[in-house]
Amino acid sequence: MSHYEITTNDISSVLDRSSKAGNRKPPLFMGIYGLGKSQQATKFAADSGREYVDYRLTYKTFNDVRGFGIPNREDKTMEFFMDEDLPQDPSGSYLMHWEEITNAMPSVQKVAMQGILDRRIGRYHFPQDTIMMASGNKLAHKTGVERMLAALADRFAIYHVRPDLDSYMGYLQEHSKSSEVLAFLSSNPNATYDFDIKKWDGESNLPTFRSFDRLDDLAASYKDSKEMAADPLLRAHAASCVGSKYGDQFAQYVKL
């Protein structure tokens, strides 16, 4: 099935439009790992004066989300102690990010459905000024993703996010710590996401945007390009960030 795709640069605009439309069908951003989906969400929260809630469903159990049940012997009822990671201030402004939702166990997806649709979980109610969103990988990305329940998918406005070098280069021009990685990608525009996940050996680094961020950290740790080029372990260091193919090419590029 083909999907209309957006880039990471569009995430803030989507969140803004969802907010203005009432956010009753929160956006779910689906895309391959390392695109910067969470980074864009964090930026939107900061720009809009909201507290960012990184709620990682991958690491949650049913009881984490629903609440831990404690018997009340006097009333003969079950009370639920809610997860401290949920927004706590009723008067606060929040961006609630259901992170890695497609990696969550089916039982966790089920209990999350009430929170997403009804803005409450049991007796817990999300603060009124809460914008919700979610993100996750696709089944084809081989990240242990669970197939979403149809009822859960129906609660979301689903956006498919594709890698976009122009978006990433714009980010690097503003945030890059080194000139070498920016120059390398300008000369090698096909480097990012140049891999076939079906042929991945299961133990090598992949050339994602996130990986090139780490390569940028590595390059910035040298005093200058001369010191970098003289490092006998440069190829190994670069390959540990972006894989052997582009780690090799980056080391050669710096030396040239």
Side-chain angles (χ1 to χ4, degrees):
M1 181 181 294
S2 61
H3 303 280
Y4 184 84
E5 295 180 321
I6 66 171
T7 72
T8 48
N9 276 359
D10 298 320
I11 289 177
S12 289
S13 296
V14 171
L15 287 170
D16 182 59
R17 181 54 52 193
S18 178
S19 175
K20 291 175 179 176
N23 194 233
R24 298 307 301 170
K25 198 173 176 72
L28 163 58
F29 300 103
M30 297 188 69
I32 200 167
Y33 30 83
L35 280 179
K37 300 183 294 294
S38 300
Q39 191 175 58
Q40 288 294 325
T42 304
K43 182 179 183 300
F44 174 82
D47 291 344
S48 59
R50 296 178 178 276
E51 182 176 338
Y52 178 67
V53 180
D54 181 352
Y55 201 74
R56 303 214 169 202
L57 287 172
T58 307
Y59 314 125
K60 301 292 184 181
T61 66
F62 176 89
N63 291 111
D64 290 330
V65 184
R66 173 61 182 92
F68 192 79
I70 304 293
N72 185 323
R73 298 184 182 278
E74 294 182 4
D75 297 338
K76 299 187 183 301
T77 59
M78 185 70 76
E79 298 177 354
F80 289 87
F81 287 3
M82 298 307 298
D83 190 345
E84 66 176 3
D85 290 340
L86 292 169
Q88 300 296 321
D89 183 0
S91 62
S93 296
Y94 296 95
L95 174 60
M96 176 70 184
H97 185 178
W98 302 90
E99 173 75 280
E100 297 173 347
I101 193 167
T102 50
N103 284 84
M105 295 181 291
S107 61
V108 175
Q109 290 186 11
K110 288 177 181 178
V111 73
M113 289 196 295
Q114 183 185 28
I116 295 159
L117 181 64
D118 299 330
R119 307 282 169 140
R120 69 181 182 88
I121 301 172
R123 293 189 177 182
Y124 167 84
H125 289 262
F126 284 89
Q128 186 173 357
D129 191 13
T130 298
I131 295 175
M132 292 190 181
M133 63 165 286
S135 66
N137 304 134
K138 302 179 184 180
L139 287 165
H141 295 152
K142 309 297 184 184
T143 59
V145 164
E146 298 281 352
R147 184 180 178 85
M148 268 197 301
L149 303 170
L152 176 63
D154 188 55
R155 283 158 165 75
F156 288 116
I158 300 176
Y159 293 83
H160 294 264
V161 186
R162 62 175 171 81
D164 181 68
L165 184 61
D166 288 340
S167 297
Y168 184 60
M169 292 297 281
Y171 162 80
L172 279 182
Q173 287 171 0
E174 186 176 349
H175 300 285
S176 178
K177 301 171 186 174
S178 72
S179 60
E180 290 83 3
V181 172
L182 185 62
F184 174 74
L185 288 177
S186 296
S187 303
N188 297 271
N190 296 320
T192 54
Y193 292 94
D194 180 21
F195 59 86
D196 184 349
I197 192 61
K198 295 179 181 178
K199 297 179 180 179
W200 180 53
D201 61 11
E203 57 188 33
S204 299
N205 292 98
L206 300 171
T208 64
F209 291 158
R210 181 187 295 140
S211 296
F212 275 99
D213 272 357
R214 301 293 77 79
L215 183 62
D216 183 53
D217 292 336
L218 171 69
S221 71
Y222 293 94
K223 180 176 62 178
D224 52 32
S225 297
K226 184 177 181 180
E227 181 190 11
M228 195 189 316
D231 185 352
L233 289 177
L234 178 59
R235 288 187 177 184
H237 292 324
S240 74
C241 295
V242 295
S244 58
K245 177 179 179 179
Y246 289 105
D248 231 21
Q249 289 187 19
F250 178 75
Q252 293 174 8
Y253 181 86
V254 171
K255 290 179 180 180
L256 285 173

